[in-house]
Amino acid sequence: MPTGPPGSEPAIAARLRAAGCVYAEEEARLLVGAARTPADLDRMVDERVVGVPVEQLVGWVTFCGLRIVVDRGVFVPRRRTELLVRAAVGLACRVDAPVVVDLCCGSGAVGAVIAAALPSVELHAVDIDPVAVRCASRNLAGLGAGVYEGDLDDPLPAALAGHVDVLVANVPYVPTEDIGLLPPEARLHESRRALDGGTDGLDVVRRVAAAAPRWLAPGGHVLVESGERQAEQVAAAFSRHRLRPRVSRDDEVDATVVVGAAGRRAAGDRRRRGCSPSPG
């Protein structure tokens, strides 16, 4: 099959395909569009061939219809996480002026989509990785969000305790011994702290389950993404902390989300409304 002259999209696509890139033609278009000079394009193609994520090379990814900045070393938002976002928006929109916390925020993609769907949201985002925090700050700029660097909920303002309507956490949930099985895009070019969930993959999930009751408002919800086979254990962790669990599954994108609901006050709940916007 003819590939065209060196540096052309067909030639680049052929090289990417030979390196194992499934979406070679699409990636070739992205690289050609992002390159400023022929030398820049050559460098980007060389890096992609050895496994650097194309999103980090071009500097952005489309997630739920938004263009999200992705810096080198930052976790690249996955399509499966759209289920987590849809669930979070569906719950947050039931409350007027909802308070939302995005733990393990990475690039800030989840919070950015929630804010786009719900302009009245009060958003707070946290990550332990300073590179991710800088990236999230760029993606959340102009949204009035608080972006904090620190370990899980440690840096959250104390005044939020008991007032968070939705706490969403796209936590690391890959078991340590499985990290080596990940594709090089993730294993070599994303922060290990964004991937490694400990021996069974659930170390951070259990910490979120333990912390959530302190922050959630009556009737509030905590949501985490997990592997399908981990969902029962995640639900059990929520139950241990008096959070009523339910599991959502989307086979099309191979996504599993576990939601934990806090109890309500007998009376005096904040005014709630019915809505179900679809982000993206």
Side-chain angles (χ1 to χ4, degrees), residues 63-64 76-83 86 225 252-253 255:
F63 180 70
C64 290
V76 177
R78 283 26 170 191
R79 186 184 171 204
R80 73 171 70 94
T81 303
E82 293 181 5
L83 177 63
R86 291 197 304 270
E225 183 176 292
E252 182 180 351
V253 294

Side-chain angles (χ1 to χ4, degrees), residues 9 12-13 16-17 21-33 48 54-55 58 60-62:
E9 283 188 22
I12 292 170
L16 295 179
R17 195 180 307 106
C21 298
V22 177
Y23 304 105
E25 287 76 15
E26 179 181 348
E27 292 189 6
R29 285 194 297 273
L30 289 171
L31 294 174
V32 169
R48 181 65 189 116
V54 67
E55 297 87 354
V58 302
W60 58 272
V61 64
T62 298

Side-chain angles (χ1 to χ4, degrees), residues 176-256:
T176 301
E177 66 177 13
D178 291 344
I179 294 293
L181 303 177
L182 294 175
E185 287 89 344
R187 177 168 40 86
L188 301 178
H189 299 286
E190 294 178 329
S191 170
R192 183 165 181 129
R193 286 184 292 193
L195 303 169
D196 192 340
T199 302
D200 63 354
L202 300 179
D203 283 0
V204 183
V205 170
R206 281 187 280 267
R207 292 183 60 202
V208 170
R214 175 190 174 196
W215 300 102
L216 291 180
H221 295 82
V222 55
L223 305 88
V224 299
E225 183 176 292
S226 77
E228 183 178 12
R229 290 180 295 179
Q230 298 167 317
E232 185 176 341
Q233 293 171 274
V234 177
F238 282 174
S239 293
R240 282 194 293 273
H241 294 281
R242 299 183 180 181
L243 298 164
R244 299 187 308 277
R246 62 178 173 84
V247 178
S248 296
R249 174 73 188 165
D250 185 335
D251 290 327
E252 182 180 351
V253 294
D254 189 25
T256 302

